[in-house]
C-alpha cells in the first residue's frame, strides 16, 4: 500500500525533472520500489513514423533488434496502444480496455509480451503530441494492478508529466531568448547606430540629424529593428539593445 513516503518521493522526482535532471531511470526505480512490477519501461516514440522507439527497460533485458522490428510491425494491431494514443492522457489498465482472454491469442501478445512475462499492463502517458509520445508502462504476469495502485500511479503520472511540460516550456523560452540575445549581433552597422540612439531616447528627427539621414530613412531603420529584435515598441528596442549589445 503506497502512502506518504511514495508521495514524498514523487515530489522530489518531479522537482528534479522540472529543474532539468534526467529522471527516467529513477522514475522506474521509484515505481518498482513502491508499486512493483515484473517489467517496467519508458518508451519515447515518434508517432506516425517508422522511426524505432527508444525503450528503456527495468526488470528485463533490453529489446533485441528482432523484437524492435516486430514491435514496429505489430504495434498498429495492439488495441490498447490505439486507446492510449487516442484517449485523453491518463493512467489506465489494459484490462479496462480490452478483453484479456482474446488479447492473449493475438500475435503481438504471443510474440512479444508473453515471452517477457507481460500479461497485465498499466500505462502512464507522460507526454503526447500529434508527433511524439513518452509512455511509461508497468507489466505483471500473475496479478493485475489494483484500483488503489492505479490511483497512486495517476498521482505519479500527473506530477511527472507536469514537471516535464514545465521543463520543456522553460527550455523553449530559453531557446527563444538565446535567439533574441543574439539578434543585436546580427544588426547592420547602421542599425546598430540607430538602436543605440533609440536607447538614448532620441526621436526619429533627432536621430536623423545626428546621423545625417532623413526622418523617413530613420523610420525605415526603426521598422527593420522591430523585425530583427522581435519587438513592437521603441522601449523594447532599447531594452534588448541594452541587454545584449556589446559594451
Amino acid at each position: 500500500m503506497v502512502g506518504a513516503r511514495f508521495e514524498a518521493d514523487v515530489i522530489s522526482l518531479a522537482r528534479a525533472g522540472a529543474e532539468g535532471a534526467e529522471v527516467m531511470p529513477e522514475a522506474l526505480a521509484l515505481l518498482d520500489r513502491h508499486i512493483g512490477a515484473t517489467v517496467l519501461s519508458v518508451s519515447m516514440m515518434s508517432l506516425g513514423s517508422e522511426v524505432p522507439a527508444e525503450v528503456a527497460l527495468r526488470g528485463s533485458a533490453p529489446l533485441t533488434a528482432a523484437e524492435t522490428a516486430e514491435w514496429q510491425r505489430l504495434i498498429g494491431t495492439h488495441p490498447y496502444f490505439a486507446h492510449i494514443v487516442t484517449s485523453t492522457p491518463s493512467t489506465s489498465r489494459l484490462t479496462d480496455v480490452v478483453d484479456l482472454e482474446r488479447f492473449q491469442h493475438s500475435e503481438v501478445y504471443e510474440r512479444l509480451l508473453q515471452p517477457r512475462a507481460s500479461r497485465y499492463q498499466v500505462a502512464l502517458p507522460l507526454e503526447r503530441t500529434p508527433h511524439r509520445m513518452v509512455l511509461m508502462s508497468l507489466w505483471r504476469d500473475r496479478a493485475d494492478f489494483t484500483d488503489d495502485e492505479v490511483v497512486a500511479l495517476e498521482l505519479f503520472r500527473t506530477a511527472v508529466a507536469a514537471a516535464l511540460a514545465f521543463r520543456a516550456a522553460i527550455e523553449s523560452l530559453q531557446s527563444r531568448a538565446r535567439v533574441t540575445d543574439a539578434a543585436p549581433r546580427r544588426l547592420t552597422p547602421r542599425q546598430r547606430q540607430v538602436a543605440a540612439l533609440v536607447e538614448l531616447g532620441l526621436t526619429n528627427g533627432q536621430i536623423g540629424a545626428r546621423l545625417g539621414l532623413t526622418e523617413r530613412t530613420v523610420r525605415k531603420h526603426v521598422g527593420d529593428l522591430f523585425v530583427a529584435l522581435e519587438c513592437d515598441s521603441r522601449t523594447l528596442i532599447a531594452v534588448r539593445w541594452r541587454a545584449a549589445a556589446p559594451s
Side-chain angles (χ1 to χ4, degrees):
M1 184 71 178
V2 298
R5 182 69 262 174
F6 171 76
E7 294 173 357
D9 287 350
V10 170
I11 291 169
S12 296
L13 184 78
R15 181 178 293 115
E19 293 173 352
E22 172 51 59
V23 298
M24 289 307 173
E26 175 55 28
L28 294 179
L30 186 157
L31 293 180
D32 197 13
R33 186 165 62 248
H34 288 285
I35 304 296
T38 308
V39 180
L40 303 93
S41 73
V42 58
S43 305
M44 302 182 186
M45 62 193 75
S46 298
L47 300 177
S49 79
E50 297 182 357
V51 177
E54 296 180 24
V55 181
L57 293 174
R58 181 180 176 87
S60 188
L63 293 180
T64 65
E67 285 176 306
T68 298
E70 284 289 82
W71 270 115
Q72 285 185 265
R73 181 176 72 86
L74 295 171
I75 192 67
T77 70
H78 196 322
Y80 188 38
F81 181 76
H83 168 81
I84 294 166
V85 171
T86 58
S87 64
T88 301
S90 64
T91 300
S92 64
R93 286 173 293 210
L94 180 144
T95 51
D96 291 331
V97 177
V98 303
D99 184 311
L100 185 60
E101 290 299 322
R102 290 184 59 187
F103 179 63
Q104 289 180 137
H105 295 292
S106 68
E107 187 177 11
V108 67
Y109 178 80
E110 291 178 346
R111 295 182 67 87
L112 294 169
L113 297 174
Q114 187 175 30
R116 288 182 175 265
S118 300
R119 177 180 288 111
Y120 300 98
Q121 180 184 0
V122 62
L124 295 74
L126 299 178
E127 175 188 332
R128 197 185 72 203
T129 71
H131 308 292
R132 165 184 161 88
M133 181 165 69
V134 178
L135 177 67
M136 187 168 285
S137 293
L138 289 76
W139 281 275
R140 289 176 180 163
D141 186 37
R142 299 184 181 279
D144 204 354
F145 296 87
T146 68
D147 290 345
D148 286 344
E149 287 171 334
V150 171
V151 170
L153 288 169
E154 176 61 10
L155 172 70
F156 169 92
R157 188 201 69 82
T158 301
V160 175
L164 297 179
F166 173 81
R167 185 59 195 174
I170 292 298
E171 289 177 349
S172 176
L173 289 172
Q174 288 174 332
S175 177
R176 290 174 59 87
R178 283 192 292 271
V179 171
T180 299
D181 289 347
R185 294 187 286 276
R186 297 196 298 268
L187 299 180
T188 67
R190 181 64 83 188
Q191 287 172 336
R192 288 169 176 268
Q193 290 177 320
V194 173
L197 295 175
V198 168
E199 183 197 355
L200 294 176
L202 274 62
T203 66
N204 289 347
Q206 291 168 329
I207 293 171
R210 183 79 65 91
L211 299 179
L213 303 173
T214 66
E215 190 169 345
R216 180 178 179 181
T217 299
V218 174
R219 281 200 301 272
K220 174 64 167 60
H221 284 309
V222 171
D224 291 340
L225 287 171
F226 286 154
V227 175
L229 298 179
E230 299 181 10
C231 56
D232 57 6
S233 72
R234 296 172 76 91
T235 299
L236 278 178
I237 289 177
V239 169
R240 290 183 177 167
W241 174 256
R242 186 182 306 118
S247 56

